[in-house]
Amino acid sequence: MSFVKKSIDNNKFKNLSICVLGLGYVGLPLVIEFSKKFRVIGYDKNKNRIKSLKKGIDFNNDINFKINKNISFTSNKIDIKNCKVFIIAVPTPIKKNFHPDLNPIKSASETVGKIIKKGDIVIFESTVYPGCTENDCVPIISHFSSLTPNSDFFYGYSPERINPGDKKHTLVKIKKVVSASNTKTLNFISSLYGSIIKAGIYKAKTIRIAEAAKVIENTQRDLNIAFMNELSKIFFHLDIDTKEVLKAANTKWNFLNFKPGLVGGHCIGVDPYYLTHISKKNGYMPSFVISGRTINNNMPTFIVGRILRLLKKNKINRKINAFIAGLTFKEDVSDLRNSKVFEIINLLLKKNIKVTIFDPLIDKSDLPHHCKKLFKDNIFYKKLNTDIFILAVSHKNMLNKINNNINDIKFNNKNLILVDLTSKLSVKADITF
Ligand SMILES: NC(=O)c1ccc[n+]([C@@H]2O[C@H](COP(=O)([O-])OP(=O)(O)OC[C@H]3O[C@@H](n4cnc5c(N)ncnc54)[C@H](O)[C@@H]3O)[C@@H](O)[C@H]2O)c1
């Protein structure tokens, strides 16, 4: 522990080199911020990602960065073997059966296990369930290194809380929760992050507490949105405008300002399954959390059901066209992962509706194969020819253009069914949440 002790005692991290494993939405900003103070090596198993990062290009379009002399990128384990601190920020997705897929985090733990040395520190940032760091990951590092945890090497957990597309709450402006295998390591990790985070550090009492805190932050959001989605179904059946109800209810000081909507992406719709998994494994069936997930997962079916009902009501039975604007899992990001818009597309296609899709922020090559031919690179809103117009995601620029042209779109398509899943259209839609 001499390295850690020296660093803490002198409150200096001279000659410290950090390795960040996994250079996605979470890992890359860490590399950039830490490189302002330390030498940082970004390691990713994806060679194409490394190639583009070396040129200063982030294909996620999430961050503008310039390579400085403190940064290097690699996909070769040998290059990271002299690092003292390893920060793991790899994905923690779910499998088709909604169980946690720990393969990436286990594989990153194996990588670290093969090169870690006595006195080194490993910090996990990926979102996991309570107990995952100590029960699933650290034993792998120990196995491959033949080193004893908390004696030969030390570890901690510090969850990332960034919000994709949010330029205000960036890494350094969000309070950082840290936790560790012992007090010295906790102080070290706390000072390390404290050197870059402006919003302050919170020392959690245990690693399991820090893991649990992260996973419930996103589960809380998922459940609040699920409640709104349930309300939108109730009010649809009562023929009441949900948006107006929420507007009225929001005038109370303690009414929480959530809105109904599609829940996709890499975090909110995924993390609750980590919690339900570990809860079930330990003998408690978390039916409230599961129920929230079910409601949110069923929203595409609810929306398409309403579109079909309206088509039937309007007695439209010719070949129908639908145009969908916005494909990503949320506004102002290019991330298509787990976007619920694809479920809407598939449900419409199943009903033999001809679908055209558009999103100015995405790269066509990232689309699922069957959607590539539905994609339009460019559109001229005024000239749109469609029976159904669905605003699925409200990217700022696209939304402005749609709102500027919405009256022409309505005028040119006489029996248009207007669907607004964002509550941001400037005119009243036929279908909203
Ligand atoms: N995206 C977010 O806004 C966000 C916010 C908070 C927390 N998180 C959590 O942070 C973690 C990372 O998420 P992300 O969005 O940055 O993921 P990402 O998919 O954007 O990036 C992960 C990177 O890790 C690489 N990778 C995968 N397996 C690897 C391995 N074994 N070794 C080295 N590199 C490997 C991938 O190639 C990829 O470049 C997840 O647990 C996620 O839940 C994400």
Side-chain angles (χ1 to χ4, degrees):
M1 189 76 180
S2 60
F3 162 74
V4 175
K5 190 165 187 310
K6 193 173 156 224
S7 303
I8 295 164
D9 289 347
N10 299 339
N11 200 17
K12 274 190 230 159
F13 299 95
K14 268 194 185 153
N15 305 324
L16 178 68
S17 58
I18 299 174
C19 170
V20 177
L21 292 97
L23 303 175
Y25 289 88
V26 168
L28 184 59
L30 283 170
V31 169
I32 291 159
E33 287 308 324
F34 275 124
S35 77
K36 294 175 185 167
K37 300 269 160 96
F38 312 106
R39 210 178 115 52
V40 188
I41 305 183
Y43 171 88
D44 200 293
K45 65 168 199 176
N46 180 341
K47 292 196 169 88
N48 288 332
R49 177 94 179 128
I50 293 298
K51 229 184 197 172
S52 61
L53 289 175
K54 277 182 174 169
K55 291 183 198 151
I57 301 165
D58 170 24
F59 281 125
N60 290 338
N61 290 327
D62 197 49
I63 196 158
N64 282 327
F65 79 103
K66 281 207 173 82
I67 297 182
N68 61 46
K69 65 175 176 21
N70 276 341
I71 301 181
S72 52
F73 292 112
T74 185
S75 43
N76 188 346
K77 293 199 257 307
I78 304 300
D79 297 337
I80 60 173
K81 72 176 181 0
N82 292 326
C83 291
K84 288 282 177 191
V85 173
F86 298 89
I87 300 178
I88 297 185
V90 298
T92 42
I94 44 168
K95 297 178 186 161
K96 280 213 168 91
N97 61 5
F98 301 124
H99 288 178
D101 177 359
L102 294 183
N103 285 324
I105 202 167
K106 284 184 171 174
S107 140
S109 302
E110 181 179 329
T111 303
V112 171
K114 286 177 176 164
I115 45 136
I116 195 170
K117 307 162 299 304
K118 279 195 173 182
D120 288 354
I121 292 180
V122 190
I123 306 166
F124 291 85
E125 286 237 5
S126 303
T127 308
V128 290
Y129 49 74
C132 183
T133 300
E134 284 156 308
N135 301 336
D136 298 283
C137 302
V138 169
I140 295 176
I141 300 174
S142 176
H143 171 79
F144 283 96
S145 62
S146 302
L147 295 177
T148 308
N150 224 10
S151 160
D152 293 332
F153 72 94
F154 306 89
Y155 53 92
Y157 179 77
S158 177
E160 185 45 70
R161 303 164 122 177
I162 51 165
N163 179 23
D166 186 339
K167 304 287 175 216
K168 199 168 141 206
H169 301 101
T170 52
L171 171 64
V172 299
K173 292 186 192 146
I174 306 169
K175 190 165 232 168
K176 195 92 172 98
V177 173
V178 295
S179 62
S181 52
N182 63 26
T183 310
K184 274 183 182 169
T185 311
L186 182 63
N187 290 335
F188 175 83
I189 293 176
S190 177
S191 320
L192 183 67
Y193 281 104
S195 71
I196 59 161
I197 304 285
K198 297 190 177 103
I201 303 292
Y202 178 87
K203 291 179 183 174
K205 288 217 162 92
T206 66
I207 288 177
R208 277 154 52 91
I209 288 172
E211 291 169 323
K214 169 65 196 182
V215 81
I216 67 154
E217 286 168 18
N218 284 351
T219 305
Q220 182 189 63
R221 199 166 165 73
D222 191 43
L223 284 167
N224 278 309
I225 299 170
F227 176 51
M228 294 297 132
N229 281 338
E230 175 127 83
L231 291 179
S232 110
K233 288 182 177 185
I234 294 172
F235 294 139
F236 166 67
H237 287 278
L238 296 178
D239 199 18
I240 302 176
D241 186 335
T242 308
K243 199 174 165 184
E244 291 301 321
V245 176
L246 293 179
K247 228 162 123 188
N250 259 315
T251 57
K252 193 180 175 199
W253 72 94
N254 59 0
F255 189 81
L256 301 179
N257 186 17
F258 282 91
K259 291 188 188 73
L262 299 176
V263 180
H266 188 41
C267 295
I268 311 283
V270 168
D271 300 347
Y273 291 115
Y274 276 69
L275 187 62
T276 56
H277 164 82
I278 201 65
S279 176
K280 284 191 261 181
K281 210 170 155 194
N282 284 274
Y284 177 71
M285 179 58 73
S287 44
F288 177 52
V289 180
I290 292 169
S291 161
R293 282 280 69 241
T294 309
I295 290 171
N296 286 343
N297 278 344
N298 287 340
M299 291 316 277
T301 309
F302 172 63
I303 288 299
V304 173
R306 287 180 61 184
I307 294 173
L308 297 176
R309 205 186 282 227
L310 203 53
L311 286 171
K312 202 167 163 192
K313 190 173 155 208
N314 294 351
K315 298 198 170 74
I316 304 178
N317 42 23
R318 58 190 153 75
K319 183 81 184 157
I320 298 287
N321 295 304
F323 183 90
I324 302 184
L327 301 169
T328 57
F329 86 89
K330 66 177 278 194
E331 68 278 4
D332 299 321
V333 300
S334 60
D335 195 345
L336 291 167
R337 285 177 297 178
N338 301 331
S339 168
K340 290 274 157 201
V341 183
F342 293 102
E343 289 176 33
I344 293 179
I345 295 170
N346 293 342
L347 289 165
L348 292 172
L349 289 174
K350 260 194 199 149
K351 291 290 168 189
N352 281 326
I353 292 174
K354 182 175 179 292
V355 180
T356 306
I357 60 179
F358 171 71
D359 190 315
L361 297 191
I362 67 130
D363 193 321
K364 185 178 174 180
S365 63
D366 292 335
L367 286 170
H369 182 68
H370 72 288
C371 288
K372 287 192 169 75
K373 58 180 186 294
L374 314 177
F375 186 74
K376 278 257 183 299
D377 287 314
N378 228 325
I379 56 165
F380 190 45
Y381 293 97
K382 274 191 205 335
K383 297 237 160 125
L384 269 186
N385 183 10
T386 187
D387 303 298
I388 304 166
F389 182 90
I390 304 176
L391 175 62
V393 186
S394 56
H395 302 313
K396 267 182 216 91
N397 208 349
M398 183 183 80
L399 177 70
N400 286 342
K401 287 182 185 157
I402 293 173
N403 276 333
N404 289 340
N405 290 288
I406 194 68
N407 288 325
D408 288 324
I409 296 173
K410 283 180 76 171
F411 183 80
N412 292 336
N413 298 280
K414 289 285 180 255
N415 296 311
L416 183 75
I417 293 178
L418 196 52
V419 184
D420 180 10
L421 306 184
T422 71
S423 302
K424 293 207 176 136
L425 266 189
S426 56
V427 298
K428 191 165 166 38
D430 302 291
I431 296 173
T432 53
F433 277 123

